[in-house]
C-alpha cells in the first residue's frame, strides 16, 4: 500500500538517486511525506520545532528524487534534489 | 551520516511563493497547501513567464491561495473570483487567469458565476479545493457535503445531496473537466498545466481534507482521508460525467472527463466585434 | 486588595486549537453560575482555525461588569511562547503568571507558577485536554473560582461522552496545583496559598 | 406540551443568547448562511429549531437566506436570519422587498470591522448607517442594539414583537464583541415572556385588502393557505396589493409605510439614561460601546465631570426628540461608537449648535473609556 | 347564423384569474399569456383546492404571472423566486408551490438558486417561459439567446452559446425535466399537472415567442416563431439531456426527459430532524 | 489614428450621453446587466466599445457586472458599469471591495422610484444616502449628480478623472428623468477633452508597495502583467497589500482611504451657485431637481423673495463647509430632491439652528417649482 | 399543416361538437387561434375592438370543442363549450 | 404671443409601440440641431412594451430650459383615445390639439386638427410609420420646427435602410397638413397658418 504511487510514476520519473531536504521550521507534522514516500525514506523525528511539531527525519538513503514529498507537502517544508555523484 | 535534514538550497517553488507570508494559515494536515503546491509546480513547469499569469481567489481557507502566490494575485469577495477573473480575461486575453478557490466559494455563493463562465467557455482555469465543507467558518454544511455527513449546522447529518461537480461543469459548457485528489499530486500538477496551456474553460476539482472542521465531525483523521483517496478511488479518463458522484462507499472516479474544443468567449467576441484589424493595435496601447 | 468591589481580571492565552476560549468559558461560567458572581468572557482570535494567536479575557466581580476588557490582569495564563511574549507585560505586579511548563520559557523577570499541562494531557492520551488540566491547576492555585463551581462548569461545557475524562484531567491539574502550592507554602510560610 | 424555552441561568455568548431569544419569541424558520462572527447564531438555530418543530435551512448565499425567510414568513411563521457585514450588504435588495411587502422578519447583523472583508474576527459598529440606508429608495427601519448577551436574548424577543406588530423587518445590530462575549443570561419562565404575533384578518375574504391598515397603521396579515388569495409585489401597489404605476399610489403606499414607523416612534424607541439629569456632557452610545460609555461616565464623575449617558437600545428610528431636548441643556455630546462617525452624525443633525464629538475609531476593538474622558475634558476646557 | 362570437358564460379559467387586472401587460403575440393559460388549466385540472397553491414569480414580463393568478401569489425580486418558494415550501410542505418566471430571471441572475433547489430536490414546480431574451428590459442578450442571434446588446450577434436548460437541470439534480413550446399547449398543461402532482423538483422549460423584443431583431414574426415550434421540433420523451440544445436549424427536441424518484428536501429534513412524532403536531399550530 | 469621440452637436438622451462621455474619457471595458432606466447606457456601450477596441460584456447579474469591472480595471484599463436601484443594492458588497482595494471604476446609477421594484420607469433620487452608506463599514465615496444630458457627458468624464486620480470608485447618481431626457449635447474635439489616467509605478519592482501613497495620498497603480506581482485583498492590509489582522493596520489603512478623499475635498467638490449672495433662502439641490430649484429661484425673485441656489454637482463628499458658511447668513435652507429627505438631512446636520426644509416627495416625478415656493413663503412668514 | 394537432389529441379528446365563444374586447389580434384551430373554424373579423385589434370571428360550425384555442389564446379571449343538443 | 422668451411646449401622446417618443425626439432634435434653438424632450411610459400609455413632452425655447415638464401645452398631439382623455385638458386655450383621425374621437369642446396618420401608414404598408406621418403633419401645421430641420432629424433618427421610406411618410403627412391648412385658410381667412 505504501508503494501505490510507484507504478503510476515509474514510467515517467527516471529512477535516480536523490537527496531530500527538510526545512524543519516550516513543518506542521502532518506526516504525509512520511506516509506516502514510496521508499519509506522518512520518519517522524523526536524533536519539536518552534511550532511544536515533530518534523520528519531522513532515515534511509533510498530517496529516488521522485519529488513526490515535495509536491504533497502542504508547507513547502520538504523537497528533493538529485544526489551529486 | 544520513542525508542532511536541513536545507542548503531554497525550496524550488520559493520563487513563486510570498515567503514573507509563510507560514500560511492552513491547519496541520489541511490539504489546501498540497493542492496549492501542485498548482504552483504546474505554473512553473508551463514555462510561461510569471507575469503572464494572474491568480484570483474568493473567500475561504482555500481562497487564501491568492495571498501566497508571488504573481499578480487577487483575493476578492466570497463567491466572486470568477467574475473578477472574467474581467481580467476579457480585458487582457493574453493573461493566463487561474481561479484558485474552495467548494463553498465556487459552488455555494458563487455557483451562478461558475455555470455562466463555463457556458461562455471563458478561457480560465478553475481549481476547486473541495474539502466538502466551509472550512474557514468552522465546518458548516456545503453544497458538496455528502448526504448524511455531519457538519456544524447538520448535527444529525446532511439531509441534502451534494452536487456532482464535474457533471455540473460539463452541463454548463466547460470544455475541460477533471477530478483528482490532493494525494494525486503529480496527476493534479499535470492537469493544471494542461488546463493552463489549453484554451477554454477548464475545471479541476480536487478532493482535499479539512481534518479540523470536516474530518473531526465525521471521525476521519487526515491520514484516514488520504487512505480513502488512495484506496477508494479509481482513475477513469473519459468517464461519463453522470457517474461521478463523490461517494467513498463506492469508488470515487478520478481522471480527465471532458476535453473538447469550442471557441472561447474572448475569441468569439474579437471575431464578431472587432472586425477591423486596427482595434487589436489599439487594445495594446489602450 | 481592598477596593469596594472585588474584581478579578484574567487573561488566558495560547494558540488556536488549544481550547483557550473553552478554558475561559469554564472559568467565567463557574464564577457566574456556580459562585453566583458576575463574570464576562471576551475572546480574540485570528482567521486561522489552528495555530493562530488566541486570547480569552475573563473578569469576575461582585457587581455588574461594564467594560469587558482587561488592561492588566490579576492572573495571566500562557499556553504558548508567542502568547507569553505578547501578554507578559499585561499582568499586575501583585498578580500571577501561570504557564505551561513545556511550551513557555518565561524571561525570569517575575515569579510564576507552571504546570506541564500539555505533557500531562499527552500522557492522558488526550492532548486537547491540556486546557482542562490547566484549568484545574488555576482553580487550585488561585481563588478565582471554587472547585465545585469549576467541576460543574467543566461538566456542562464539554462534549457529551467526554465528561469523565475531562473531570479526570481537571483533577490532575488541580492536584498538581495543590501540591505545588504546598511546596510554595513551605518555601515562603506566611503567604496565603490563594494568590489572586 | 413541554416548553422548549430553556428557563434558567446560562453562561452563553451573545450569538447563542440571540438564538435562544428567537426560540423563546416563537421563531420557527431560519434561513442561514455562515459568516464570522454570526455563524454561531445559525449553528445554534440548526440545533434548536428541529426541537421546537421548526426548520433550519442553510441556503446557497445570503440573498437566498434573506429571501427564504420572506417566503416562509408568508406561511404565517416567525422567521429570522443572521449575518455580518458582507452578507448584510448582499441582503440589502431583499430588505427592500421585505419593507415594501410588509413582511415581518428579524435580521441579525453581528458586525465585524469593514469595509469589505476587513477584519473578520474583530468587532466594529460600522454598519449602522447601512442599516438605515443600505437598500435603494426611501424607507424606515427598526434597528435594536444589544449591549450584552442578556440583551441579545431580550432584544431578539423585542425584535420579533416589533416585527410582528409593525409588519416590517427588524434589525438586531450586534457586534463581534457582544456576539462572542459570554455572560450570565437569565431566561425567564416561558409564560412570563411576552410575545406578539401578527394580527390575522377576520372579515370577508373576497373583500380583504392585504395593505389596508388597521388602527395602528398596520394591515392584518393572512398566511398562505388561509384562502385570502393575496397578491404580494415589490412594485408600487395599492391596498389590494396590486401594482399601480402611479405617483399617487406611490405616495399612498409610502405614506403608509413610513407612517407606521414614524407615527409609532414612542412605542418603538427604547433608550436608557444614566446620570443625565445634571449632565454637562451627554454621552450617546449603543451596543458594546455603551459599556465603554458607562465606564467613562463613572470615571468622569469620579473626576468631577458631570457626564451622563443616553444609551440607545433602539437606534433606528433615531430618537431625535431626545437629542433635541438634551441639546437645550448640555454643553456637548460625545457619541461613542466603533466607527468613524455614523450615529454621531445623527446626533449632530439634531444637536443644533451644541458641539457633537465622536469617540470612535476604525474598528477591530472597543473604544477605551479614556478616549471618551479625554474628549470630555477637551470639550469642557 | 354561426355560433355566437360573444360570450354568454365566463371564460372557464376566470375563477383563477384576477380579472380586475386584465388586460395584462403582455404584448400582442407574446407567448407568456399562452404558457400562463396552460398552467392555470393544469392547476384547475389537478383538482387540488386553490388555497393549497402558491405561485411565485421573479421580475420580467413572464414574472408578471404571479400578478394575474387568483391564488396566493408573490412577485418577488429579480432572480429570487426560487429561494422565496423554498421558504414557503420548507415552512409549509403541504402547499404546492409553483414558480412561474422567465429565462433571464431563472437562469441569468437566478441561476444559482435554480441549481441549488434542484440539488436539494426541493418539492416545487418551476415553469420557465423561455423567450430567449430579457423581454421586459427591451431584448438584451440572455443566457438562453442562441449563438449569433441579435439582441439589444449584441448588435453583431451573440458571441456566446446558450445553456441547454434541461441538461443543466438534470445535472443539478432535478427529478422531473420536460420541455415544450407554448404551442404544445395541451402537452404543456399535462406536464404542469404531472409536475404538480408528483413530489420533487420539477422543471418545465417552455419556448415562447417575444415578438417585440426578440423576434423583431431577428426578423421573426410571432407566427413565424410558432411555425418553427411546429415544424422544427420533435417530441422524444426520455431523450438524452446532453442532446437538447435549442437550435431550430436542427430539430429542437421536446418531451419529458427526466422523471425519477428521490427523497425531497422537506421529506429528508423531517425524517432526519423531527424524529419525535409530536413535532408534526406542533408545526400545524406553529 | 482617427478619434472615436463623436465631436459635434447631438440630440441624445442622458444615458446615451453618459456612454459617449465614457468613450471620450477612454473607457475600454463595460460589464453590464440590463435594468430600466439604465439599460441604454449598456446598449450604447455595447455598440461603441468594440469601435474603440474595447469590450462590452453582459454578465449574469449586477454582482458579476460590478466585480468584472474591478478585474478589468487591474489590467490597466478604465472600466464602468451602469444600473438602477435594485442592481445598485446588489453591487454594494463589491463597492466595498473596490474602495478597499483602491480600484478605479465608474458606477452609474440611473435612479428610479423605490424601494424594491417600485416604479421602474419613473424617476426619483432615493438612492443618495445609499450611495454614501450602502456598503458595510466606514468609507468615503465620490458621487456626482448630473442635471442634464450634457452633464451626463461632462460628468462621466469627470467621474473617470476623479476615479483615476484617487483610485476609487466614483458614482454618477443620475435619475430616470435625466437619463431619458433628450437635449442638445455638445461633444468637443477630442484633443480639448481633459482625461486623466492613473499614475503607474516607476521604481524598483521588488520594493514596490501597491498601497504606499504618493504626494496626494494615492498610491501609483500597476497593471496585471507589469511584473509588480501585486497582491490585492479585501482584507485589512498593509502598504504591501498583505493582509494584517490588526487594529493598527486597520487604522493605517482606513486613515489612508478616508484621508485621500477628505484631504482632497477642495479638488473633488464641485458646486454651482446662482443668486446666492443676497439670499435669505438657500435652495440646495442636485440632479434633475436642480432644474426645479432653478426655476423656483427665478419665480421667487419675480415674487420678491430673495432665494438663491446652491447646486451640488459633487454630492459626496458633501460640501459641509459651504452649508456651514451659508448657515451664517441665510434664514433657511430648502433642499429640493425627489425623496423623503436624504441630502436635506446632511444640510440639516451642517445648518446649526437655521431651519432646514425639504421640498421632496416619494418619487415617480420631479418636484414642481411651486412646492419650493410654497415652502419658502412659509419659511419667511 | 393546419391539422398537426389533431393526430396528437385525437386519441385523448373525444370528438364532440362545440361552440366557441370569443370575448372580443380582450383580443389582441395575435391570430394564434385562427392559425391553429384544427378545423379552421375561425377567421379575422373586419371590426376593430377598443384596443384597435381585429378579433376573430367564427366562420364555420365545425368546432369540435377541442379547447385548443382556449389553451393557446394568451388573452383569455376565446373558449369552447359543448354544443347543446 | 409676446413674452420675452419664445417658448413652445408640446405633448405627444399615445400607446407604447406607436413611436411616440421617437416623434418627440425628432421634434426636439429638429429644433435643437436644425433650428439651433434650445429644446428638451422628456418621456413617460409604463412597464408594458406595447399598449401602455406613453407620452413625450417637448419644450422648444430660445433660452436655456430648466424645468423640462409641460403643464399646459401649446400643441397637444394625441394618437390614442385614452391618451386624449388623459391629456385633453393640458392644452392652452390658444393652443392646438392634433389627433389621429381614426384613433381619437374628440369631445368637440374645442377646435382641433386631425390626420388619419395610422390609416395612411397602413396604406404605405408601414403601420409603424404613423408617427412620422404625424410628424410631417405637425411640421406643416405648426411653426414648431422648420421643414428642413425636421427632414434632417428624421434622416438621422430612423434605422439605416429605412430613411427613404420615412421621408416619404413625412412628406405624406406634411402634404396632408399643407392642404389641410389651405382648407382652413379658406374657411377662416385672416388666421395665420402657423398655429403655434
Ligand atoms: C458574503 C460573504 N458571506 C459569507 C462569508 C463567510 N465565509 C468566509 S469563507 C466561507 C466559506 C468558505 O468555504 P470554501 O470556499 O469551501 O473554503 P474552505 O474554507 O472550505 O477552504 C464563508 C461562508 C463571507 N466572507 N462573505
Ligand atoms: C436586480 C435587478 N436587476 C435587473 C432588473 C431589470 N430587469 C427586469 S426584468 C429583467 C429581465 C427579465 O428577463 P426574463 O426573466 O427572461 O423575463 P421576460 O421579460 O423575458 O419574460 C431585468 C434584467 C431588475 N428588475 N432587478
Ligand atoms: S523525493 Fe521524497 S517522496 Fe520521493 S523518494 Fe525521496 S523522500 Fe521519498
Ligand atoms: S509533509 Fe511537510 S508538513 Fe507534513 S510532515 Fe512532511 S515535511 Fe512536515
Ligand atoms: S479549517 Fe479546514 S480547510 Fe481551513 S485550513 Fe483548517 S483544515 Fe484547512
Ligand atoms: S416584450 Fe416580449 S416578453 Fe415582454 S410582453 Fe412583450 S412580447 Fe412578451
Ligand atoms: S375549440 Fe377552438 S380550436 Fe378547437 S375546434 Fe373549436 S374553435 Fe377550433
Ligand atoms: S388567440 Fe386570443 S388574442 Fe389571439 S387572436 Fe385569438 S382570441 Fe385574439
Ligand atoms: Mg471548502
Ligand atoms: Mg425572457
Amino acid at each position: 500500500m505504501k508503494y501505490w504511487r510507484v507504478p503510476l510514476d515509474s514510467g515517467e520519473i527516471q529512477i535516480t538517486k536523490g537527496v531530500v531536504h527538510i526545512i524543519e521550521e516550516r513543518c506542521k507534522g502532518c506526516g504525509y511525506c512520511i506516509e506516502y514516500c514510496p521508499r519509506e525514506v522518512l520518519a517522524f523525528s523526536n524533536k519539536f520545532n518552534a511550532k511544536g511539531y515533530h518534523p520528519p527525519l531522513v532515515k534511509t538513503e533510498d530517496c529516488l528524487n521522485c519529488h513526490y514529498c515535495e509536491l504533497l507537502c502542504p508547507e513547502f517544508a520538504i523537497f528533493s534534489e538529485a544526489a551529486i555523484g | 551520516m544520513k542525508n542532511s535534514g536541513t536545507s542548503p538550497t531554497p525550496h524550488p517553488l520559493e520563487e513563486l511563493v510570498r515567503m514573507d507570508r509563510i507560514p500560511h494559515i492552513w491547519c496541520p494536515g489541511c490539504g489546501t497547501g498540497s493542492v496549492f503546491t501542485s498548482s504552483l509546480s504546474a505554473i512553473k513547469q508551463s514555462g510561461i513567464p510569471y507575469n503572464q499569469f494572474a491568480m484570483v481567489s474568493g473567500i475561504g481557507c482555500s481562497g487564501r491561495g491568492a495571498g501566497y502566490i508571488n504573481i499578480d494575485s487577487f483575493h476578492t469577495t466570497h463567491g466572486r473570483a470568477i467574475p473578477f477573473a472574467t474581467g481580467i480575461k476579457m480585458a487582457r486575453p493574453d493573461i493566463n487567469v487561474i481561479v484558485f478557490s474552495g467548494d463553498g466559494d465556487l459552488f455555494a455563493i458563487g455557483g451562478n458565476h461558475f455555470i455562466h463562465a463555463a457556458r461562455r467557455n471563458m478561457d480560465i482555469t478553475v481549481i476547486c479545493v473541495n474539502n466538502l465543507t466551509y472550512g474557514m467558518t468552522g465546518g458548516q454544511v456545503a453544497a458538496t457535503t455528502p448526504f448524511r455527513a455531519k457538519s456544524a449546522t447538520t448535527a444529525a447529518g446532511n439531509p441534502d445531496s451534494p452536487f456532482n461537480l464535474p457533471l455540473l461543469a460539463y452541463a454548463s459548457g466547460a470544455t475541460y473537466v477533471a477530478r483528482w485528489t490532493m494525494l494525486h499530486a503529480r496527476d493534479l500538477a499535470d492537469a493544471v498545466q494542461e488546463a493552463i496551456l489549453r484554451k477554454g474553460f477548464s475545471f479541476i476539482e480536487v478532493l482535499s481534507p479539512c481534518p479540523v472542521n470536516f474530518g473531526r465531525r465525521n471521525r476521519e483523521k487526515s491520514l484516514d482521508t488520504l487512505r480513502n483517496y488512495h484506496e477508494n478511488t479509481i482513475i477513469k479518463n473519459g468517464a461519463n460525467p453522470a457517474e461521478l458522484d463523490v461517494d467513498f462507499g463506492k469508488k470515487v472516479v478520478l481522471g480527465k472527463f471532458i476535453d473538447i474544443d469550442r471557441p472561447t468567449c474572448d475569441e468569439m467576441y474579437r471575431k464578431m466585434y472587432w472586425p477591423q484589424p486596427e482595434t487589436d493595435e489599439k487594445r495594446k496601447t489602450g | 486588595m481592598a477596593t469596594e468591589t472585588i474584581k478579578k481580571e484574567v487573561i488566558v492565552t495560547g494558540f488556536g486549537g488549544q481550547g483557550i476560549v473553552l478554558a475561559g468559558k469554564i472559568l467565567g461560567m463557574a464564577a457566574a453560575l456556580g459562585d453566583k458572581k458576575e463574570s464576562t468572557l471576551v475572546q480574540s482570535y485570528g482567521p486561522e482555525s489552528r495555530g493562530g494567536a488566541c486570547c480569552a479575557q475573563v473578569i469576575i466581580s461582585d457587581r455588574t461588569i461594564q467594560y469587558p476588557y482587561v488592561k492588566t490582569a490579576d492572573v495571566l495564563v500562557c499556553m504558548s511562547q508567542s502568547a507569553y511574549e505578547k501578554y507578559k507585560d499585561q499582568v499586575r505586579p501583585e498578580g500571577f503568571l501561570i504557564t505551561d511548563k513545556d511550551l513557555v520559557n518565561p524571561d525570569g523577570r517575575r515569579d510564576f507558577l507552571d504546570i506541564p499541562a500539555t505533557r500531562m494531557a499527552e500522557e492522558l492520551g488526550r492532548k486537547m485536554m491540556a486546557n482542562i488540566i490547566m484549568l484545574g491547576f488555576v482553580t487550585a492555585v488561585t481563588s478565582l473560582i471554587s472547585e465545585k463551581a469549576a467541576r460543574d462548569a467543566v461538566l456542562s461545557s464539554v462534549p457529551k461522552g467526554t465528561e469523565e475524562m475531562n473531570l479526570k484531567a481537571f483533577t490532575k491539574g488541580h492536584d498538581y496545583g495543590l501540591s505545588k502550592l504546598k511546596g510554595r507554602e513551605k518555601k515562603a510560610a506566611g503567604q496565603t496559598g490563594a494568590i489572586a | 406540551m413541554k416548553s422548549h424555552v430553556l428557563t434558567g441561568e446560562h453562561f452563553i455568548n451573545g450569538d447563542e443568547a440571540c438564538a435562544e431569544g428567537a426560540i423563546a419569541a416563537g421563531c420557527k424558520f431560519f434561513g442561514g448562511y455562515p459568516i464570522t462572527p454570526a455563524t454561531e447564531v445559525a449553528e445554534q438555530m440548526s440545533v434548536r429549531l428541529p426541537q421546537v418543530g421548526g426548520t433550519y435551512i442553510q441556503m446557497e448565499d445570503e440573498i437566498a437566506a434573506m429571501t427564504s425567510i420572506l417566503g416562509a414568513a408568508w406561511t404565517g411563521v416567525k422567521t429570522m436570519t443572521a449575518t455580518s457585514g458582507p452578507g448584510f450588504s448582499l441582503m440589502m435588495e431583499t430588505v427592500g422587498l421585505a419593507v415594501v411587502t410588509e413582511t415581518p422578519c428579524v435580521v441579525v447583523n453581528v458586525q465585524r470591522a469593514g469595509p469589505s472583508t476587513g477584519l473578520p474576527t474583530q468587532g466594529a459598529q460600522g454598519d449602522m448607517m447601512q442599516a438605515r440606508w443600505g437598500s435603494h429608495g426611501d424607507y424606515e427601519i427598526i434597528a435594536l442594539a444589544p449591549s450584552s448577551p442578556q440583551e441579545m436574548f431580550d432584544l431578539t424577543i423585542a425584535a420579533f414583537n416589533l416585527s410582528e406588530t409593525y409588519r416590517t423587518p427588524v434589525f438586531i445590530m450586534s457586534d463581534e464583541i457582544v456576539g462572542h462575549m459570554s455572560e450570565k443570561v437569565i431566561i425567564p419562565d416561558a409564560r412570563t415572556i411576552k410575545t406578539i404575533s401578527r394580527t390575522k384578518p377576520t372579515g370577508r375574504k373576497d373583500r380583504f385588502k392585504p395593505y389596508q391598515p388597521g388602527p395602528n397603521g398596520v394591515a392584518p396579515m393572512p398566511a398562505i393557505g388561509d384562502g385570502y388569495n393575496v397578491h404580494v409585489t415589490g412594485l408600487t401597489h395599492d391596498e389590494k396589493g396590486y401594482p399601480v404605476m402611479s405617483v399617487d399610489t406611490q405616495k399612498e403606499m409610502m405614506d403608509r409605510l413610513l407612517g407606521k414607523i414614524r407615527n409609532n416612534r414612542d412605542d418603538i424607541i427604547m433608550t436608557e439614561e444614566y446620570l443625565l439629569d445634571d449632565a454637562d456632557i451627554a454621552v450617546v452610545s449603543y451596543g458594546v460601546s455603551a459599556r465603554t460609555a458607562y465606564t467613562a461616565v463613572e470615571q468622569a464623575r469620579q473626576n468631577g465631570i458631570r457626564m451622563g449617558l443616553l444609551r440607545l437600545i433602539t437606534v433606528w428610528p433615531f430618537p431625535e426628540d431626545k437629542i433635541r431636548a438634551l441639546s437645550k441643556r448640555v454643553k456637548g455630546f460625545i457619541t461613542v461608537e466603533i466607527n468613524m462617525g455614523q450615529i454621531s452624525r445623527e446626533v449632530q443633525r439634531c444637536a443644533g449648535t451644541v458641539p457633537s464629538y465622536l469617540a470612535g475609531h476604525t474598528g477591530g476593538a472597543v473604544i477605551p473609556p479614556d478616549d471618551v474622558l479625554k474628549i470630555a475634558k477637551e470639550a469642557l476646557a
Side-chain angles (χ1 to χ4, degrees), chain A residues 18-20 33 36-42 62-70 78-80:
Chain A
V19 47
V20 58
C33 58
Y36 288 96
C37 168
R39 291 298 170 96
E40 300 196 52
V41 170
L42 305 162
D62 297 346
C63 174
L64 46 72
N65 193 25
C66 75
H67 297 291
Y68 184 64
C69 55
E70 184 180 318
I78 190 167
F79 63 97
S80 65

Side-chain angles (χ1 to χ4, degrees), chain D residues 281 331-334 355 357 372-381:
Chain D
I281 297 282
K331 300 202 179 106
F333 289 96
I334 304 175
Y357 304 92
V372 187
L373 277 183
K374 222 178 107 205
I375 294 171
K377 281 177 190 153
E378 283 167 20
L380 294 173

